[in-house]
Amino acid sequence: MTFSYAPGAPAVLSEVSAEFYAGAITAIVGPNGAGKSTLLRVLLGLVRPQSGVAAWPEPASVPAQTVADMPAGARARSLVYIPQRLSPAFGFTVRELVEMGRHAAGAGPDSGAIARAMERARVGGLAARSFDELSVGQQQRVGLARALAQLDAIEGPAALLADEPAAAMDPLEATHALTTLLAVARAGRVVVVVLHDLSQVLAFCARTLLLDARGRVSAMGPTGEVLSPRALESLLGLPFDPASVGGRVVTLVARVTLSARDESAASP
Ligand SMILES: Nc1ncnc2c1ncn2[C@@H]1O[C@H](COP(=O)(O)OP(=O)(O)O)[C@@H](O)[C@H]1O
Ligand SMILES: [Mg+2]
């Protein structure tokens, strides 16, 4: 699939070929502007590629459907999106926003299901608060709660696509959010998450799609293979050391060599 935002404009995504599976989280990783958010929008059918398709297989022998051709209601009954920022207006409360997830999936009100989604995303204590008054990290938890409410109302196959869902969360909240997304994946949903924190990718995402700065897939597969120090060095132009604790890689540390001038500036 190849995509550009305007006819004749340079391609933002070039010849991207990828498959996403239920059961584990797939991370999308790449530098700023690589096209990660755009790839999610293509997968959701919000924008249409110039060549190729994003398709969502139906169960059994029904032919795969091109997502951009699915009516909005049908999309919302199989695809769930956590955008980078929710921007609702009108001072909706947290509970009202989470309820909207159920409505998106075409389900009626269910206060128990809404309370469960809020608890899982740790926003139960914020239910009556206005969304606009919350910190950005709290707002991200509300985005997760809304997605969980929508997923809970979908009985068939479903995919959850999240764009940097924990970027504004503190490390503890981010760990809770990613643990919840992993549970969603293990419950049989397709989960695709754009992440920048490579230690989170290593800890939670069994598969990784690495996009390079020109919107090409530079690698896709098991995370341990994709995030090899060599792949990262060639992508980011920096030498990398995997640091490990108890034999498990926990983080990747760039070895940046300062020039003589920078070093003298840094010394007292
Ligand atoms: N609505 C848009 N119209 C035109 N260009 C866009 C639009 N959204 C993003 N872009 C451009 O597409 C490229 C990829 O953007 P994006 O998908 O947001 O990257 P990432 O999420 O990897 O940082 C960037 O060069 C960006 O400027
Ligand atoms: Mg983005």
Side-chain angles (χ1 to χ4, degrees):
M1 168 274 288
T2 292
F3 175 84
S4 60
Y5 276 100
V12 169
L13 295 167
S14 292
E15 295 167 21
V16 168
S17 178
E19 284 181 317
F20 300 93
Y21 303 96
I25 302 179
T26 300
I28 299 179
V29 174
N32 290 136
K36 304 178 298 295
S37 297
T38 302
L39 178 54
L40 291 194
R41 282 185 224 123
V42 170
L43 293 171
L44 289 154
L46 302 177
V47 294
R48 196 183 277 272
Q50 276 72 19
S51 68
V53 293
W56 175 239
E58 286 285 305
S61 56
V62 182
Q65 283 199 70
T66 300
V67 288
D69 291 332
M70 288 162 68
R75 253 186 271 160
R77 286 189 297 278
S78 53
L79 302 172
V80 179
Y81 181 32
I82 305 180
Q84 241 170 317
R85 290 291 296 265
L86 287 184
S87 47
F90 310 120
F92 282 115
T93 65
V94 168
R95 182 184 284 108
E96 286 167 335
L97 279 165
V98 176
E99 267 187 72
M100 287 178 199
R102 279 191 72 78
H103 296 309
D110 179 336
S111 55
I114 291 158
R116 274 198 307 279
M118 289 194 296
E119 286 308 317
R120 283 184 81 191
R122 296 160 66 88
V123 294
L126 304 173
R129 295 275 300 277
S130 165
F131 178 86
D132 303 329
E133 291 169 4
L134 303 179
S135 75
V136 183
Q138 290 172 326
Q139 290 182 341
Q140 287 198 313
R141 275 148 60 191
V142 177
L144 174 61
R146 186 182 72 163
L148 294 172
Q150 187 180 351
L151 272 172
D152 181 64
I154 299 171
E155 279 178 18
L160 170 63
L161 297 96
D163 201 348
E164 302 188 34
M169 293 183 193
D170 66 51
L172 180 66
E173 290 301 340
T175 298
H176 277 292
L178 288 162
T179 301
T180 302
L181 292 174
L182 184 55
V184 168
R186 291 194 172 151
R189 311 299 198 169
V190 175
V191 179
V192 180
V193 181
V194 175
L195 285 176
H196 280 298
D197 184 327
L198 298 180
S199 58
Q200 292 173 347
V201 176
L202 287 161
F204 291 99
C205 308
R207 293 177 62 81
T208 296
L209 187 166
L210 191 58
L211 273 184
D212 71 15
R214 294 178 308 146
R216 291 174 186 273
V217 177
S218 72
M220 177 161 194
T223 294
E225 291 168 26
V226 171
L227 293 189
S228 68
R230 233 179 99 205
L232 289 167
E233 285 184 18
S234 82
L235 184 80
L236 303 170
L238 286 174
F240 269 86
D241 274 336
S244 65
V245 172
R248 180 142 183 253
V249 176
V250 291
T251 188
L252 293 152
V253 184
R255 277 185 274 119
V256 182
T257 311
L258 296 173
S259 70
R261 196 165 151 264
D262 292 338
E263 275 176 40
S264 61
S267 56

